[in-house]
Amino acid sequence: MRYVSLQKDKLPQFVNSLQKKYKVVAPVKKENLFVFATIEDPEEVELDYMPTILPPKKYFLPQHEKLGSFVKDNVAMADTNIDVEPTVLFGAHTCDIEGIECLDIVFHDTPADPYFGRRKKSIIIIGYECMKPCDEYSTCVTMDTLNPRAGYDIMITDIGDKYILYINSPEGMGIIGKNPIFGKVENERDVKTKLLKLREDKVKNFKVQIDADYKELNKIFGTSYNSKTWQDVGKRCVSCGNCTAVCPTCYCFDINDEVKLDMSGGKRERVWDSCQLDEFAMVTGGENFRKERSSRQRHRYYRKFDYSVKKYSKFFCVGCGRCTRTCMADISLIETVNELAKEHKNAK
Amino acid sequence: MSQSKNKKVRIALFDFADCEGCQLQVTYLNDQLVGLLEHCEIVNFREAISERSDDYDIALVEGSITRKHDEERVKKIRENAKILIAYGSCACIGGVNGLRKKFTQEEAKDIVYKGREFPIDVGEPRPVHEVVKVDYFIYGCPTNNEETIKALKSILIGKGYTPPRYPVCVECKLKENVCLFEKGQVCLGPVTRGGCGAWCTSYGNTCYGCRGLLDKPAQEGQMDILKKNGYTLEELKQKFETYNLCRMMGEQNATEKS
Amino acid sequence: MQSKLLKKEMTIPADFLYSPRAATIVKTKQMTANEKFFEIKFDDGEPLGHEPGQFIQLSIFGIGEAPVGICSSPTKEDRSTFEVCVRKVGTFTNALHKLDVGDKLGIRGPYGRGFPIDELKGNDVLIVAGGLGIVPLRSLINFIIDRRRDFGNVMILLGCKGPKDRLFTDDMKEWERMLNINYACTVDRADPDWKGNVGVITTLMPGVHIDKNRTYAVVVGPPIMYKFVIAELLKKGLSENQIILSLERRMKCGLGKCGHCQINSVYVCKDGPTFTYAELKGLGEAL
C-alpha cells in the first residue's frame, strides 16, 4: 500500500488524529499572509496558502538553538542534549520540502550536526502539492521543485473530488496505519498514472519566468561574477537581512553565550545570522571581507546557484519566491537572474 | 569589568532632561531586578530609593544634557563612575529633546513659559557622549528591559555591550511580522538601529526611529523604497525628526562647515 | 571519557561537536604591548595532536569563542602542551589577556588544513612572515628545525612594523644563529637602537636566491602584504602551486557550516586556512 484516499471533509479529522500524538505545525493565516504555527484547532489549517513568511526551516534550525549550558569557573559544557517534541509538519509545499532537503545535506556533511539531526528525526513531514501557482515571484518550474520528489513522509495531492495521500516512509505508514478515515485505493497503478497526468497538466498553469533552463543556470553564474548587475542590486539593497531570513536554504549562524542573571552560569547558543549584514564577514581586527552591499548580494546569489553546486552538486534556490516577495527594495530574483542570462547570452 | 569575590557592583541611576520613563522601566524589571541584585546593589535611584551615594561603579545616565549645571553634574558622574552607560534615547541620541533645536532659545522659552517673567536657563539639548565619554549605549524610548538586562549582564561579565548595527527589520522579520510597508505605512525600521526586538512593529505600530539612525544607512536604497511606496524624503524626515533632530542638525552643521 | 573519544583517529561523537575540552594555562608571557603568549595544557594530559598551520577555537564561557592559530610545533619537546600568541583586539581577546597561569580555558579543535608538510619535505622552503603571520609560521619553522634533515634550504624573511612589535624574539635569536637557516628581518619603521633592515618585507626579496624548481614559499601576513609578495615570488619563477598562503577569516563554528569564514565556494575553516595560490587565484574574495 503506497496510496490511500481521503474525503475532503475528513481532513480536519485527519489533523485531529495527528494532534493526539504529535505537536502539529501547519500554515495558518497571519493578517493577509501565512505563517507556520502550532495549531490548536484543525480548522486553523490553511492548505490553500501562499508561501509562509518564514519557511519551515525554523523547526529544523531554530532561531535560537541551545548548544549546551555551563556553570561559572567550569570549562566543560553540559546539557548538550536536546529534547524535540514529536512533531508533524503539515501541509508543507514541495519547494519548502526541497529546502529542508538542502539543509539536510549541509548538516549531514561531515562533521554531521547532532542538533539538526535530532530535529530532523523527530519531525514528520506531510506535504501538500501545489496545483496552481502562488504568485508571480515563484520559480518552482525552473528550479524543478514543483512536483514532489523526496524528503517527505506523506504527500497530499488534491485530485478534485478527494485527496490522494502518497506514503513515502515507514513513519508515514505508521501515521496512516489502519486509521479508518482513509479509503483504500483499488488500483495503485491507475492512481499513479492519474497523478502523472495531473502533473503534466498542471505545469501548464505555471508560467516560466526565468529565461534560462535549469541546465544553463550554473553556466550563467560561471560568467557573471563581475557583472554590473551586482552594483545595481547592491545600490538598492538596504541590508535588512530579510532575504536570508525567509530563504528556506539559508542556514548561516552565529554562536553566542548568554549568562544567567546571577552570573552562576549560562548557555551557549546558535542563532540565525545573515551574510547580508555588514559585520558578517568582519574579523576582529576590523577588516571586512564583504564590505559592499553589492558583494554581499552577489554572495547570496552565488550560494544559491554556484557555490552550492560546487560543494553539494545542488542548486540551493528552491524557487519559493520568498526573497523577492519580502524585499522592500524590490530586488527580484527573477529580474536579477534574467539580467545575468541576457548578459551571458550577449557575451557569447 | 572584573568583580572581586565579595564586593557587590554598585550601580547608580541618574536622570537629566527626560521623562524618567526609562528609569521606570527599571522598576518593571521585577524578578529580574532581584536576580541582578544578588551581585549588584543600586545606590542611586531617585524614582525608587532615597539613598544617595557618590561611591559607585556603574552609572546609568538617563536624559539629554542641556544646561551648564547639567554639564558639570554629568562630568562629576563621569569622574566617579568606572563605567558610564548612556541609558535611553535622550541620553544616547538626544531623543525628543532634540525638537527644541527647531527653535531659537528665545522662541522656545516664549512657547513654553509664555508671559512668565523669571530667569530660566535653557540650554542646547545634547546626547551624553557629546559632553563626556560614554562607555556603553542602551538605546530606546523607552529602553527595552530585555536589552537592558542583556547589556548589563554582558557588561558585568566583562564582555561589554555593542548594540546591533543592523536595522530593526532584521528582528521584525524573525518575528514573522507582516511588513508595514506592505500595509501602506511609513516605517522607519529599515534605517533605524535594531536591538529592540522589533518591539513596536510586533504590536502593529510603525517604527518611529527612537533608537537612532543606523551607522551605515543605505541612503539610495532607502529612497527607492520610499518612492515606491509613494512617500517623499520630507515625510520621512519629518517622522525621523521626533527622535533624531540632534543628529540631523549635527550633520547639517557638519556639512555646512565642510 | 571525552578525551579518549576525541583522539584524532576516532570520529567525534556528535554531542561533543561544540563542547570545548578543559585546559589550563601553564605559562604566559607578554610579548609586546598588545600580544600575549600562552602555553596551554589539556587537563587530561593528552596532546593537542595538531599540524603546523591549523587553528583552535579558544573558549571562555560567558564571553564566547575565538579562532586562534597555534604557534608551537607538534614536535615540541613537551608534547603535552601547546602554545598560542594572541593580539588584544576585541572582547574575547581582552578577556583572554586577563587570564594567567592556572586559569582554565576551553579548547575545540584543532581545525582546518595545515601547511602541506609532505610536499615541502625534500624541497627548499622560503618562509615569509608579516606581522602576526609569524604565529602559525613559528609552528612550521620549529617543525622544520626539529626535522631539519627532511628539508632542503630554509630561508626566513620576517617583517613587522617596528622593533618593538617583533614577536618570539628568543626564537628569532636562535634562528639567526643557526647555520643551516637563512634568516632576515626588516621593520617598517626603525627606532634609534635598531641596527637591522628598514623597509617593507618586499625589500628583502632581491637578496633571496632560490632554485625555482625546488622551492616552496610559505607566506602569511596581513591581506595587503600578499599582493606584493606573490608578485615578487611569481617574478622569481615560482609556480602558483609553489606559493602557500594562510588566510584569516571569521571562523565561528570551525566545522564548515556557519558561513562566516566562507570565501566564494570555500570554507576557510575546513578547506583552509592554508591554500596554494593556485587554489585562491580564481576566488574573487580571497586576496
Side-chain angles (χ1 to χ4, degrees):
Chain A
M1 181 178 78
R2 296 301 293 269
Y3 296 96
V4 291
S5 67
L6 180 68
Q7 294 307 318
K8 285 195 166 173
D9 57 351
K10 296 251 173 70
L11 192 85
Q13 244 176 292
F14 175 34
V15 176
N16 196 261
S17 71
L18 295 170
Q19 283 179 297
K20 289 190 180 120
K21 278 175 80 181
Y22 302 95
K23 175 173 99 171
V24 178
V25 294
V28 300
K29 213 157 171 59
K30 180 163 185 176
E31 299 176 49
N32 58 328
L33 301 176
F34 297 90
V35 294
F36 274 101
T38 307
I39 54 149
E40 302 288 331
D41 179 355
E43 299 292 339
E44 289 172 69
V45 179
E46 297 272 353
L47 277 185
D48 186 18
Y49 72 102
M50 290 264 302
T52 49
I53 301 180
L54 292 182
K57 75 171 172 189
K58 63 182 183 180
Y59 297 112
F60 299 85
L61 186 71
Q63 290 182 15
H64 293 261
E65 175 88 272
K66 190 185 83 180
L67 297 173
S69 59
F70 56 88
V71 288
K72 204 182 169 192
D73 301 327
N74 188 346
V75 289
M77 190 156 71
D79 199 14
T80 53
N81 277 305
I82 51 157
D83 290 320
V84 191
E85 203 181 332
T87 302
V88 169
L89 170 64
F90 190 84
H93 285 160
T94 44
C95 54
D96 281 346
I97 293 172
E98 184 59 20
I100 297 164
E101 284 287 280
C102 290
L103 297 184
D104 198 70
I105 291 172
V106 172
F107 285 97
H108 277 105
D109 188 21
T110 324
D113 185 78
Y115 305 90
F116 180 90
R118 263 174 245 149
R119 289 190 186 277
K120 184 82 200 305
K121 263 192 193 141
S122 312
I123 302 175
I124 287 172
I125 300 171
I126 300 182
Y128 180 71
E129 188 174 350
C130 295
M131 301 312 283
K132 57 180 194 335
C134 40
D135 61 12
E136 70 271 29
Y137 302 128
S138 59
T139 57
C140 46
V141 181
T142 306
M143 298 323 295
D144 200 18
T145 56
L146 175 57
N147 292 322
R149 284 189 192 286
Y152 56 87
D153 298 289
I154 294 170
M155 179 59 63
I156 305 174
T157 306
D158 181 348
I159 58 160
D161 55 335
K162 59 185 173 196
Y163 296 120
I164 290 293
L165 277 66
Y166 176 67
I167 304 160
N168 196 35
S169 72
E171 287 77 12
M173 183 59 95
I175 279 181
I176 302 295
K178 293 195 171 65
N179 193 336
I181 61 167
F182 299 107
K184 205 168 168 318
V185 165
E186 290 306 324
N187 187 330
E188 298 229 334
R189 192 174 294 177
D190 285 354
V191 173
K192 201 173 174 181
T193 318
K194 189 168 185 178
L195 288 178
L196 282 176
K197 176 78 175 64
L198 207 71
R199 280 166 197 157
E200 241 169 65
D201 290 344
K202 83 167 178 187
V203 75
K204 290 169 199 149
N205 302 329
F206 289 76
K207 207 175 141 208
V208 178
Q209 318 242 35
I210 289 191
D211 309 330
D213 73 16
Y214 192 75
K215 285 180 193 135
E216 282 172 309
L217 274 176
N218 190 239
K219 282 192 200 123
I220 291 169
F221 275 82
T223 60
S224 300
Y225 193 76
N226 294 316
S227 166
K228 61 176 183 8
T229 307
W230 305 123
Q231 297 306 322
D232 173 52
V233 170
K235 247 186 222 163
R236 287 147 68 199
C237 176
V238 295
S239 301
C240 69
N242 284 354
C243 50
T244 54
V246 303
C247 179
T249 72
C250 274
Y251 55 84
C252 288
F253 58 84
D254 200 357
I255 299 172
N256 287 331
D257 285 7
E258 189 76 49
V259 286
K260 282 193 211 156
L261 216 50
D262 62 6
M263 307 274 161
S264 65
K267 61 181 175 186
R268 180 160 286 172
E269 57 177 15
R270 183 158 85 179
V271 296
W272 285 11
D273 206 340
S274 168
C275 64
Q276 297 306 301
L277 306 182
D278 183 45
E279 290 166 278
F280 185 80
M282 198 192 272
V283 293
T284 29
E287 184 110 15
N288 190 345
F289 293 97
R290 270 187 297 277
K291 210 164 30 197
E292 307 300 328
R293 290 185 171 88
S294 53
S295 63
R296 299 202 290 267
Q297 276 291 343
R298 175 175 64 195
H299 186 68
R300 176 171 77 89
Y301 276 93
Y302 269 76
R303 273 180 66 106
K304 307 297 160 199
F305 293 99
D306 185 87
Y307 304 156
S308 57
V309 178
K310 290 195 174 102
K311 208 166 155 65
Y312 303 114
S313 312
K314 204 170 166 63
F315 285 123
F316 266 42
C317 174
V318 298
C320 68
R322 281 190 181 88
C323 54
T324 311
R325 217 170 278 129
T326 201
C327 183
M328 293 179 287
D330 278 355
I331 294 172
S332 154
L333 181 131
I334 295 170
E335 281 170 24
T336 309
V337 174
N338 282 347
E339 192 57 42
L340 299 177
K342 199 167 84 190
E343 281 176 33
H344 179 77
K345 213 169 152 192
N346 291 343
K348 259 198 223 166
Chain B
M1 59 180 296
S2 57
Q3 278 172 266
S4 62
K5 286 246 155 64
N6 304 314
K7 203 174 164 253
K8 284 186 171 185
V9 177
R10 293 166 68 86
I11 300 180
L13 284 91
F14 300 96
D15 48 78
F16 288 81
D18 62 11
C19 73
E20 299 184 21
C22 295
Q23 282 196 54
L24 200 58
Q25 287 294 103
V26 174
T27 63
Y28 295 154
L29 283 169
N30 299 329
D31 291 358
Q32 300 204 72
L33 192 57
V34 177
L36 200 64
L37 290 178
E38 282 189 24
H39 45 94
C40 300
E41 58 185 324
I42 295 183
V43 296
N44 267 307
F45 188 5
R46 207 166 60 83
E47 267 192 18
I49 57 170
S50 51
E51 194 197 334
R52 297 278 179 277
S53 172
D54 288 333
D55 174 20
Y56 41 83
D57 304 299
I58 298 179
L60 280 158
V61 176
E62 181 201 57
S64 328
I65 310 303
T66 52
R67 302 164 299 180
K68 187 82 197 132
H69 164 73
D70 297 333
E71 249 178 64
E72 281 154 17
R73 193 172 144 234
V74 80
K75 280 178 185 160
K76 193 82 203 144
I77 293 169
R78 176 71 266 189
E79 274 172 33
N80 289 342
K82 293 191 185 87
I83 292 174
L84 189 147
I85 304 171
Y87 179 62
S89 288
C90 297
C92 292
I93 55 171
V96 287
N97 297 316
L99 288 170
R100 220 294 277 119
K101 284 180 174 282
K102 285 191 132 180
F103 311 95
T104 64
Q105 293 209 356
E106 286 315 308
E107 281 167 353
K109 259 190 208 174
D110 199 43
I111 293 166
V112 181
Y113 304 104
K114 200 163 194 151
R116 286 196 239 173
E117 284 300 325
F118 55 87
I120 185 150
D121 179 13
V122 181
E124 287 298 309
R126 277 156 298 167
V128 178
H129 68 265
E130 284 185 18
V131 183
V132 294
K133 182 178 167 270
V134 170
D135 300 303
Y136 302 108
F137 295 86
I138 300 177
Y139 294 89
C141 177
T143 47
N144 183 305
N145 276 345
E146 232 173 88
E147 190 192 13
T148 304
I149 284 294
K150 191 176 167 184
L152 283 178
K153 285 194 302 192
S154 198
I155 291 163
L156 286 166
I157 203 165
K159 193 156 60 165
Y161 179 69
T162 320
R165 290 193 189 136
Y166 55 67
V168 171
C169 301
V170 171
E171 288 159 352
C172 194
K173 191 56 68 183
L174 294 182
K175 294 245 160 112
E176 292 204 84
N177 294 325
V178 176
C179 180
L180 289 156
F181 279 107
E182 217 165 293
K183 296 198 256 181
Q185 299 180 36
V186 198
C187 181
L188 294 180
V191 283
T192 302
R193 178 185 288 111
C196 57
W199 198 359
C200 295
T201 54
S202 295
Y203 287 98
N205 248 314
T206 62
C207 171
Y208 295 93
C210 78
R211 298 173 61 85
L213 187 67
L214 280 171
D215 292 338
K216 292 185 205 165
Q219 287 179 350
E220 272 182 81
Q222 191 54 38
M223 281 312 296
D224 270 1
I225 293 172
L226 284 175
K227 260 187 243 156
K228 190 186 81 188
N229 287 285
Y231 299 104
T232 61
L233 184 62
E234 273 317 302
E235 281 170 297
L236 178 83
K237 262 191 175 164
Q238 213 172 15
K239 188 158 180 168
F240 214 66
E241 273 178 7
T242 318
Y243 283 101
N244 293 280
L245 211 58
C246 274
R247 170 156 175 189
M248 286 160 85
M249 300 282 273
E251 270 186 347
Q252 218 170 334
N253 292 342
T255 25
E256 274 165 20
K257 266 178 224 158
S258 69
Chain C
M1 185 184 106
Q2 194 178 340
S3 69
K4 277 193 188 130
L5 291 166
L6 279 167
K7 268 190 188 162
K8 236 184 136 189
E9 61 273 19
M10 297 178 83
T11 354
I12 301 171
D15 288 16
F16 295 125
L17 211 53
Y18 287 98
S19 299
R21 295 165 64 193
T24 305
I25 297 170
V26 293
K27 191 180 157 191
T28 66
K29 188 181 171 190
Q30 192 69 42
M31 285 205 151
T32 68
N34 285 317
E35 277 106 9
K36 192 169 171 179
F37 168 91
F38 298 88
E39 188 178 342
I40 300 167
K41 186 180 178 123
F42 279 118
D43 289 358
D44 58 27
E46 296 272 334
L48 177 62
H50 70 289
E51 297 161 20
Q54 285 192 301
F55 70 98
I56 50 171
Q57 288 282 357
L58 287 183
S59 160
I60 303 174
F61 273 125
I63 307 286
E65 291 186 307
V68 169
I70 305 150
C71 67
S72 59
S73 167
T75 53
K76 188 166 71 70
E77 209 166 321
D78 178 2
R79 308 251 165 118
S80 72
T81 68
F82 61 93
E83 296 158 356
V84 297
C85 174
V86 182
R87 177 177 288 176
K88 191 161 75 173
V89 277
T91 311
F92 182 89
T93 45
N94 269 324
L96 181 69
H97 271 232
K98 285 187 190 133
L99 299 185
D100 220 320
V101 174
D103 286 332
K104 299 235 177 250
L105 270 174
I107 312 283
R108 284 200 290 131
Y111 292 124
R113 175 172 72 162
F115 297 114
I117 299 275
D118 288 340
E119 278 170 59
L120 303 186
K121 275 185 185 165
N123 289 300
D124 295 348
V125 184
L126 167 65
I127 287 167
V128 186
L132 271 184
I134 189 63
V135 171
L137 284 175
R138 175 182 178 258
S139 174
L140 178 67
I141 294 168
N142 286 341
F143 183 95
I144 291 172
I145 290 169
D146 290 340
R147 299 270 189 278
R148 189 62 191 86
R149 280 191 306 177
D150 293 348
F151 301 87
N153 290 331
V154 176
M155 288 146 279
I156 302 170
L157 305 182
L158 215 117
C160 49
K161 281 198 181 120
K164 285 196 176 67
D165 301 310
R166 286 176 311 146
L167 301 166
F168 308 111
T169 43
D170 292 344
D171 291 75
M172 285 176 193
K173 271 181 216 143
E174 281 286 302
W175 302 337
E176 203 167 2
R177 229 168 27 92
M178 294 179 107
L179 296 173
N180 55 4
I181 281 180
N182 288 310
Y183 167 90
C185 176
T186 178
V187 297
D188 295 352
R189 276 180 312 274
D191 62 19
D193 298 331
W194 180 251
K195 297 195 174 60
N197 302 304
V198 180
V200 294
I201 195 146
T202 39
T203 57
L204 296 177
M205 294 296 244
V208 176
H209 299 288
I210 55 173
D211 178 349
K212 65 180 181 187
N213 296 318
R214 49 165 298 163
T215 300
Y216 277 89
V218 188
V219 188
V220 188
I224 182 84
M225 187 188 101
Y226 285 130
K227 209 172 104 188
F228 296 103
V229 172
I230 290 166
E232 292 286 333
L233 294 170
L234 292 173
K235 244 194 272 171
K236 288 191 184 289
L238 288 193
S239 78
E240 288 161 356
N241 278 313
Q242 288 166 281
I243 302 171
I244 291 140
L245 313 160
S246 178
L247 297 185
E248 183 205 10
R249 289 297 185 276
R250 193 181 164 198
M251 282 86 100
K252 270 276 174 178
C253 71
L255 309 165
K257 302 267 195 280
C258 79
H260 282 275
C261 71
Q262 189 179 8
I263 45 173
N264 301 90
S265 55
V266 306
Y267 279 79
V268 174
C269 73
K270 215 177 149 190
D271 305 320
T274 72
F275 296 94
T276 63
Y277 177 56
E279 289 170 320
L280 294 181
K281 203 181 63 163
L283 305 180
E285 294 171 342
L287 296 167

